[in-house]
Amino acid sequence: MGTKVLAGGRRFLMGWLGILMGLGLGAPVLLHGQLPEAGSLSASAPNPLSDPTLKPGKMLLFDLEAKFAKDVAERGGAAFADWFAEDGVALGNGTAPVVGKVAILKSANWLPKDYQLTWTPTDGLMGPSGDMGYTWGHFEGHSKDANGNPVTTSGRYTTIWRKQPDGNWKVVLDAGSNEPAAAGDCCKVP
């Protein structure tokens, strides 16, 4: 995803996760944010506040996403690369795959003052063995062009997480697909 990130963004911060955790459905509240406005979620997109499939594995994945998003908001591209496994892969729009943490670090060289990448997971699933899972959702990237005009990119992403031998979780695959900023609800199936 590092190459895609340079061309466009990825993900909103997950304020609703903090609310879920604050209700006792997970670890202590790790971040603060905003809930989606009432009625703003489409019928086809799961609402994480009323998701009957919310299980501890999914909460773990959402917690990882929250920590990942917060770190990237604070430290930029270096933080983005830090979350990848050594053998991680980033896939972007019409670009060659970026393979390996070192290559991802080289391609994700933005500072948070120049580029803000935010994302919101729509859903996720932990595998039955509890050592791999995925999330997917919507991302946005905010930067400025050469004339100082704001530029916003948005799209959909999927992230695959894997538990490492040391017990930490890392991204093994991140893929994104840009869409026009005015595309509306990213998660509607045509």
Side-chain angles (χ1 to χ4, degrees), residues 1 4 9-17 31-36 41 62 64-70 72-73 115-122 135-142 152-157 179 181 184-187:
M1 154 98 184
K4 177 183 64 97
R10 174 172 122 117
R11 312 179 183 193
F12 280 97
L13 292 173
M14 303 174 295
W16 53 263
L17 178 61
L31 62 112
H32 303 281
Q34 294 182 351
L35 293 171
L41 292 174
F62 286 170
L64 289 166
E65 288 283 348
K67 291 174 182 176
F68 186 18
K70 183 177 186 232
V72 169
Y115 180 73
Q116 277 292 307
L117 176 61
T118 59
W119 61 90
T120 302
T122 300
T135 55
W136 67 274
H138 183 261
F139 71 81
E140 275 196 8
H142 299 276
T152 299
T153 55
S154 66
R156 301 170 204 173
Y157 77 91
E179 65 187 1
D185 183 355
C186 76
C187 303

Side-chain angles (χ1 to χ4, degrees), residues 46-61:
N47 179 342
L49 294 176
S50 62
D51 183 355
T53 67
L54 192 61
K55 295 179 181 170
K58 186 185 283 191
M59 279 304 304
L60 172 68
L61 294 169

Side-chain angles (χ1 to χ4, degrees), residues 55-138:
K55 295 179 181 170
K58 186 185 283 191
M59 279 304 304
L60 172 68
L61 294 169
F62 286 170
D63 181 49
L64 289 166
E65 288 283 348
K67 291 174 182 176
F68 186 18
K70 183 177 186 232
D71 196 20
V72 169
E74 292 172 357
R75 298 189 308 121
F80 181 79
D82 281 349
W83 283 84
F84 276 81
E86 293 300 321
D87 61 347
V89 176
L91 302 174
N93 290 319
T95 61
V98 182
V99 180
K101 186 175 184 171
V102 172
I104 293 166
L105 179 59
K106 287 180 183 176
S107 69
N109 57 3
W110 80 90
L111 298 174
K113 69 180 181 71
D114 300 322
Y115 180 73
Q116 277 292 307
L117 176 61
T118 59
W119 61 90
T120 302
T122 300
D123 205 358
L125 181 68
M126 179 67 73
S129 64
D131 62 353
M132 284 190 85
Y134 71 87
T135 55
W136 67 274
H138 183 261

